[in-house]
Amino acid sequence: MFEGDLVGRALELITSPLRLSADRQAVSPGDSVALEVSAPGRRQVWLWTRSPGTTWERVLLPLDSAGRSTRVMGPLREALFAHVTAGTKSS
């Protein structure tokens, strides 16, 4: 990598947002949902999930070269809360 490439990558990491979305907003009991993560310029993020009455659990989620990943959660029996973090950034 050249110095300009390193500066560009550092700037991308600082300014790029973390995004977390679901393929649908509501599911029936027993269904699954796909969580889609976008974090341009990053190689991995922490995916945090929990259900009501439980503590947060985290999983290190590898990202592809575009900074994206999809993780299927389920079958779900109750509400699922999720967010992603990378360093000091959060979705």
Side-chain angles (χ1 to χ4, degrees):
M1 253 186 200
F2 296 104
E3 185 176 327
D5 294 338
L6 292 174
V7 171
R9 176 155 166 71
L11 183 60
E12 184 177 33
L13 287 171
I14 292 169
T15 60
S16 66
L18 298 179
R19 291 198 171 91
L20 174 65
S21 60
D23 66 340
R24 47 198 166 141
Q25 296 299 312
V27 297
S28 299
D31 284 351
S32 297
V33 64
L35 300 178
E36 300 165 1
V37 175
S38 174
R42 299 191 183 274
R43 293 188 177 108
Q44 59 191 19
V45 296
W46 287 104
L47 173 63
W48 297 80
T49 58
R50 76 172 185 87
S51 295
T54 66
T55 59
W56 287 100
E57 296 180 19
R58 71 179 186 168
V59 174
L60 191 58
L61 194 60
L63 305 173
D64 65 15
S65 61
R68 296 176 187 230
S69 184
T70 300
R71 182 162 182 116
V72 177
M73 305 297 293
L76 301 176
R77 291 180 175 67
E78 55 193 342
L80 177 71
F81 303 97
H83 75 275
V84 292
T85 60
T88 59
K89 290 191 172 215
S90 182
S91 64

